[in-house]
């Protein structure tokens, strides 16, 4: 017979802490505590398998469950000396949810179950406390009606308010037993009126209805939204824990509270928590009364006149401290515990790893290692890499009021506040005049770069997580929100409309790039703080990881930023981004639009000079570390002038009529530019661009050597090949240029030539490609785009719907699709290494900064990941965690 029910209590338990999948976090930890001899009210947990059965079989239960529940109730009776539904010493129960990973407050709980018109009287006479008994009964009716019958709890509050008003009372504590009897009677009438049946009196009926309601709460809207946000699979389900009630509301020798074994906001190693005298757990959470400090030190610090638990109940306090110290040492992590003191006797109701701020997480990990509780790899594994972002950018101050006007994709983290600019030129002017600026665009293109540079934050209405705005903003470390589709932009009259409100140029808005929130006005922020603990954890992470972490950067400033964050080198310098600066943009446009050889040669010469200077600076910034330079890869449309003013400018520059430029531009326009004349295709139709770039790279390299500041290795990378022929062609041009340069300057450049694998065909052909390549690097942005056939620039509009519907676990442009795109990465790596066992393999798409993807790449045997500078610490930590998990 399948075991569905696991009992615990009185030094024994059928479950344990490592059975979270089956018993949920709460059930597993209660079992563990019971076995440790920590005082927990006895109870039993109905497994998550029952939840799966419940949902898979029209909300029915498996055979044998009911018998196992009855046996378990019997066991609780033996341990407590009370009987469920009995009129002498009635046992009351709490029915609580609990999934594998904690989902605080998302699912439902029913407390004080088992009370009816008779057991309440029994409870009153047993405790000689009518007030307590009927207050408890009314709490039960209210909670049962809310959770099980979905009756709005507000209507009950109204009744209570009326009764208090009738008697001239301000506080619940002023009500006597008689008053509570009156409240109970009105609650029951309301129940019957609203639901057409009397309040259920059979305790067994109450119990099964409550169990069903708690299972069902796995699928309430709150819980579903929370799971989407935290990527918790729907199939996990919840367990249900049924436990004997203990009462914190039995007068002034009773209390209830919550505590953390260390301070969850600073990480300081002191007991931190609050309690309420004569109250039940939900009173602490609901905030109707102000809780008191647990320790005397905290009370003094808070300058509170209400006595601490330490002072009020020294015995239970002492015992509590011993229990939580033991729990922390046992779990080797900071614990968040709930407790109740019933008539002087301490009970622990829950323990779990406590949520904490990033600052606290770092301090706790470092200090616990110092205390010998955990090892360095444990400490490294304890810190959530994704949350490190909190430390690297300014963020919205905790508790700051947010006047939300819209939401978009959280494209680049950090918060920024500024005046709205609707075009890049205004952004530059406003910045120059000393204002903070948020650049708001439908989408961005290379022409916007100056404005993006000037802006403090970027907001686009279109585009996904790898759109131009997103990639560039992340590279710059600027907060950015993309795909904010509910906002309306009127570029003509320069207005932004959001939730019925209209914003003009110069109006203040704040964006939170980590949450994707757009807010009106200025919202308070806090600045990043890179404390000593952060450095320590990073050092330990580097000792653990085997994957190299490089950066995607192409300006000396970004390279320096990346190296200061601990990058092992540069894995992708996108040379087309180097053309964004004013004069260079004009020169590249002249080249693309040149109608004769003279113009083309002029433009090439000019570009070569710019590139040589820029490469020399870039190499110097990367001294001592390897650098990968990618040859130009512009989807052409990103560089074409599209407004009459710019067309005039370009025409004047190359000395032709504007109409010619217009025609030429039109002829170069493509229906699918992302699948168009870009990457190595451009190098094949315009090999002179390859020659120019290779020459500029080699000369810049010599300049850096002459300055004594050369990188540790030069790697030249060819984008967007579909097979070996393209690579062989471009490689040949590079090698020829190298020979010519060696001949002219009498010094031979040392370099490697590799390629990006960013098309499915390239992944499949990696075996033959590797014959031509010294290294390969997966461009997972394009590989995702082409494997899915989803435009990376437009996906933001509708991809979210797939996530909401559960058709996608996460945005594949953010976290690698391991089954599909990931499979191509594996195939490409295997085939590449079949040809060249020592082939160096990396990845340089945005996934290089995503912890889950990094774990996957580590497992796939890659040598390095490359990501935006601001994600370097995250990637270092994630790489270390992946290596530790792999041991
Ligand atoms: C990629 O496609 O993953 C890549 C790194 O290249 P880009 O984003 O420049 O297309
Ligand atoms: Mg690409």
């Amino acid at each position: 017979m399948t075991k569905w029910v696991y009992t615990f209590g009185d030094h024994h338990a059928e479950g344990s802490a490592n059975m979270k999948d089956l018993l949920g976090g709460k059930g597993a930890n209660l079992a563990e505590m019971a076995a440790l001899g920590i005082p927990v009210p006895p109870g039993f947990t109905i497994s998550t398998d029952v939840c799966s059965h419940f949902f898979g079989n029209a909300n029915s239960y498996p055979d044998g469950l009911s018998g196992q529940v009855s046996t378990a109730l019997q066991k609780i009776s033996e341990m407590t000396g009370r009987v469920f539904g009995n009129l002498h010493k009635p046992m009351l129960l709490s029915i609580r949810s609990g999934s594998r990973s904690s989902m605080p407050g998302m699912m439902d709980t029913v407390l004080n179950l088992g009370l009816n018109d008779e057991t309440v009287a029994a409870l009153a006479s047993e405790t000689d406390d009518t007030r307590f008994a009927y207050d408890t009964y009314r709490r039960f009716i209210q909670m049962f009606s809310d959770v099980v019958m979905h009756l709005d709890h507000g209507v009950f509050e109204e009744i209570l308010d009326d009764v208090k008003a009738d008697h001239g009372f301000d506080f619940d504590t002023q009500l006597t037993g008689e008053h509570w009897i009156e409240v109970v009677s009105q609650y029951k009438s309301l129940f019957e009126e609203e639901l057409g049946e009397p309040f259920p009196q059979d305790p067994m009926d109450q119990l099964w209805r409550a169990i069903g309601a708690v299972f069902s709460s796995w699928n309430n809207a709150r819980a579903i939204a929370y799971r989407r946000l935290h990527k918790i699979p729907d199939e996990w389900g919840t367990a249900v824990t049924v436990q004997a009630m203990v009462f914190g509301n039995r007068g002034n020798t009773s209390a209830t509270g919550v505590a953390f074994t260390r301070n969850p906001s600073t990480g300081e190693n002191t007991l931190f928590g609050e309690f309420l005298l004569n109250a039940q757990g939900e009173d602490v959470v609901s905030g109707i009364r102000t809780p008191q400090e647990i320790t005397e030190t905290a009370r003094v610090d808070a300058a509170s006149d209400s006595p601490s638990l330490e002072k009020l109940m020294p015995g239970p306090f002492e015992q509590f401290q011993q229990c939580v110290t033991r729990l922390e040492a046992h779990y080797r992590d900071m614990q968040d515990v709930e407790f109740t003191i019933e008539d002087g006797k301490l009970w622990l109701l829950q323990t779990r790893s406590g949520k904490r701020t990033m600052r606290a997480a770092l301090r706790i990990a470092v200090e616990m290692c110092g205390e010998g509780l955990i090892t360095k790899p444990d400490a490294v594994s304890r810190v959530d890499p994704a949350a490190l972002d909190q430390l690297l950018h300014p963020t919205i101050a905790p508790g700051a009021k947010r006047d939300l006007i819209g939401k978009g994709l959280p494209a680049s983290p950090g918060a920024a506040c500024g005046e709205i600019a609707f075009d890049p030129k205004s952004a530059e002017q406003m910045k120059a005049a000393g204002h903070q600026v948020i650049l708001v665009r439908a989408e961005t293109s290379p022409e916007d770069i100056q404005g993006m540079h000037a802006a403090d934050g970027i907001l686009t209405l279109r585009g996904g997580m790898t759109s131009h705005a997103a990639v560039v903003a992340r590279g710059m470390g600027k907060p950015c929100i993309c795909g904010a589709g509910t906002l309306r932009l009127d570029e003509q009259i320069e207005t932004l409309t959001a939730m019925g409100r209209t914003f003009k140029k110069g109006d203040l808005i704040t964006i939170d790039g980590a949450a994707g929130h757009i807010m009106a006005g200025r919202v308070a922020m806090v600045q990043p703080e890179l404390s000593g603990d952060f450095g320590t954890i990073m050092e330990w992470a580097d000792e653990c990881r085997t994957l190299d972490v490089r950066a995607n950067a192409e300006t000396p400033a970004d390279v320096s930023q990346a190296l200061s964050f601990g990058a092992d080198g540069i894995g992708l310098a996108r040379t087309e981004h180097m053309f964004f600066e004013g004069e260079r943009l004009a020169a590249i446009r002249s080249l693309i639009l040149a109608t004769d050889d003279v113009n083309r040669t002029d433009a090439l010469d000019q570009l070569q000079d710019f590139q040589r200077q820029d490469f020399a600076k870039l190499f110097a910034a990367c001294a001592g570390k390897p650098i990968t330079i990618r040859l130009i890869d512009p989807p052409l449309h990103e560089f074409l002038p599209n407004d009459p003013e710019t067309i005039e400018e370009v025409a004047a520059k190359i000395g032709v009529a504007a109409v010619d430029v217009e025609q030429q531009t039109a002829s170069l326009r493509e229906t699918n530019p992302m699948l168009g004349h870009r990457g190595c295709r451009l190098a094949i139709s315009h090999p002179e661009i390859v020659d120019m770039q290779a020459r500029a790279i080699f000369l810049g390299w010599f300049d850096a050597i002459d300055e004594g500041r050369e990188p540790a290795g030069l790697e030249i990378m060819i984008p967007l090949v579909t097979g070996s022929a393209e690579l062989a062609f471009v490689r040949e041009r590079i090698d020829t240029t190298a020979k010519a340069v060696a001949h002219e300057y009498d010094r031979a450049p040392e370099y490697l030539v590799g390629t990006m694998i960013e098309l499915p065909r390239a992944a499949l052909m990696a075996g033959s490609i590797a014959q031509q390549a010294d290294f390969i690097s997966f461009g997972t942005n394009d590989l995702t785009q082409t494997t899915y056939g989803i435009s990376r620039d437009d996906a933001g509009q509708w991809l979210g719907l797939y996530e909401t519907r559960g058709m996608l676990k996460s945005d594949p442009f953010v976290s690698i699709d391991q089954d599909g795109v990931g499979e191509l990465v594996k195939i490409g790596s295997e085939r590449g290494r079949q040809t060249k066992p020592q082939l160096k393999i990396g990845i340089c798409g945005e996934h290089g900064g995503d912890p889950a993807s990094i774990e996957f790449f580590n497992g796939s045997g890659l040598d390095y990941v490359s990501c935006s500078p601001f994600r370097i610490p995250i990637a270092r930590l994630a790489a270390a965690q992946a290596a530790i998990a792999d041991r």
Side-chain angles (χ1 to χ4, degrees), residues 630 633 678 720 756 758 781-782 792:
R630 182 179 74 185
D633 171 24
R678 57 176 289 221
L720 219 74
M756 294 188 72
E758 43 190 346
N781 298 337
D782 275 311
R792 56 196 266 196

Side-chain angles (χ1 to χ4, degrees), residues 66 91 96 115 120 173 210 279 355 385 442 510 557 632 702 777 800 802 813 837 845 869:
S66 129
M91 176 167 73
R96 305 159 83 197
L115 280 175
V120 71
T173 42
K355 299 246 183 278
T510 300
I632 189 167
F702 292 156
S777 177
Y802 274 56
F813 289 103

Side-chain angles (χ1 to χ4, degrees), residues 199-276:
F199 186 76
Q201 294 291 307
D202 174 4
M204 266 326 234
D205 176 34
Q206 294 175 354
L207 177 61
W208 283 106
R209 290 212 220 180
I211 291 172
V214 174
F215 276 136
S216 301
S217 72
W218 175 254
N219 279 336
N220 71 31
R222 271 192 331 262
I224 292 173
Y226 188 91
R227 289 205 292 278
R228 295 275 170 284
L229 215 60
H230 293 85
K231 312 247 174 297
I232 298 175
D234 289 339
E235 3 6 308
W236 280 5
T238 181
V240 173
T241 293
V242 177
Q243 205 176 6
M245 280 296 299
V246 287
F247 299 96
N249 56 336
R250 282 193 51 188
N252 286 340
T253 51
S254 300
T256 188
V258 291
F260 292 83
T261 52
R262 302 190 185 213
N263 185 314
S265 91
T266 64
E268 195 189 344
N269 187 2
T270 49
L271 185 61
F272 177 94
E274 329 178 292
F275 76 101
L276 278 176

Side-chain angles (χ1 to χ4, degrees), residues 607-789:
L607 278 172
Q608 183 177 308
D609 287 345
F610 288 142
Q611 288 251 275
R612 175 181 180 166
Q613 291 162 26
D614 292 348
F615 283 133
K617 287 188 201 138
L618 190 61
F619 293 146
C622 194
K625 306 271 182 198
I627 184 164
T628 310
I629 303 287
R630 182 179 74 185
L631 298 189
I632 189 167
D633 171 24
L636 274 185
H637 70 301
E638 287 194 3
F639 284 89
L640 295 176
N642 43 26
D643 60 289
E645 209 180 311
T646 324
I647 289 178
E648 289 279 354
E649 263 173 41
V650 176
K653 183 140 196 342
I654 47 179
V656 296
V659 57
D660 291 338
V661 170
E662 221 166 309
Q663 267 175 9
Q664 172 79 340
T665 303
S667 77
L668 285 172
R669 280 204 196 288
E670 296 174 293
T671 311
N672 286 319
M674 271 300 199
L675 300 177
H677 196 186
R678 57 176 289 221
C680 66
R681 299 163 196 174
L682 204 67
I684 285 156
S685 55
H686 295 290
E688 65 279 8
I689 298 183
V690 177
D691 302 346
M692 176 277 286
Q693 284 208 295
R695 182 171 269 272
I697 291 170
F698 296 137
L699 298 184
W701 186 260
F702 292 156
D703 293 341
I705 293 180
D706 294 344
E707 250 190 86
R709 295 194 51 77
E710 80 268 24
L714 171 61
E715 296 156 1
I716 301 175
M717 186 156 74
I718 321 296
L720 219 74
V721 300
T722 61
S724 59
E726 291 151 315
L727 179 57
F729 175 89
V730 182
R731 177 168 201 141
E732 155 71 17
R733 301 293 295 210
I734 297 171
D735 290 343
T736 306
T737 307
K739 281 190 198 120
V741 167
H743 184 70
E744 262 172 72
Y745 291 83
D746 203 20
R747 59 202 291 195
E750 276 179 39
Y751 61 96
L752 301 177
V753 177
T755 188
M756 294 188 72
I757 302 285
E758 43 190 346
L759 298 172
R761 187 175 196 280
L764 298 173
M765 303 306 292
S768 54
I769 288 176
Q771 281 165 357
Q772 303 290 333
D774 301 322
F775 64 92
I776 59 174
S777 177
F778 288 94
T780 47
N781 298 337
D782 275 311
L783 192 58
T784 301
Q785 165 165 266
T786 49
T787 301
Y788 267 100

Side-chain angles (χ1 to χ4, degrees), residues 31-162:
E32 187 84 4
M33 284 200 286
L36 282 173
I38 302 270
V40 297
F44 58 88
T45 300
I46 305 175
S47 77
T48 52
D49 284 348
V50 176
C51 188
S52 308
H53 185 284
F54 183 77
F55 287 123
N57 295 277
N59 295 3
S60 69
Y61 296 109
D63 288 345
L65 177 68
S66 129
Q68 291 184 25
V69 165
S70 299
T71 312
L73 280 174
Q74 186 63 38
K75 267 198 177 173
I76 309 183
S77 287
E78 284 159 20
M79 287 187 256
T80 56
R82 299 182 156 273
V83 179
F84 189 50
N86 189 280
L87 294 188
H88 172 52
K89 278 181 109 186
M91 176 167 73
L92 303 193
L93 299 173
S94 73
I95 322 299
R96 305 159 83 197
S97 57
S99 74
R100 263 186 231 192
S101 85
S102 97
M103 296 171 48
M106 296 302 127
M107 288 180 290
D108 290 327
T109 294
V110 182
L111 300 179
N112 306 311
L113 185 134
L115 280 175
N116 57 26
D117 295 350
E118 291 175 322
T119 51
V120 71
L123 187 68
S125 77
E126 180 201 337
T127 55
D128 195 18
D129 192 345
T130 314
R131 185 192 173 285
F132 157 70
Y134 283 86
D135 172 24
T136 308
Y137 193 20
R138 71 90 195 178
R139 287 171 189 265
F140 171 51
I141 298 171
Q142 186 168 345
M143 217 172 199
F144 187 91
S145 306
D146 176 13
V147 171
V148 183
M149 312 303 293
H150 308 295
L151 200 57
D152 178 17
H153 62 93
V155 288
F156 292 101
E157 301 293 348
E158 278 169 27
I159 292 181
L160 182 55
D161 285 345
D162 288 348

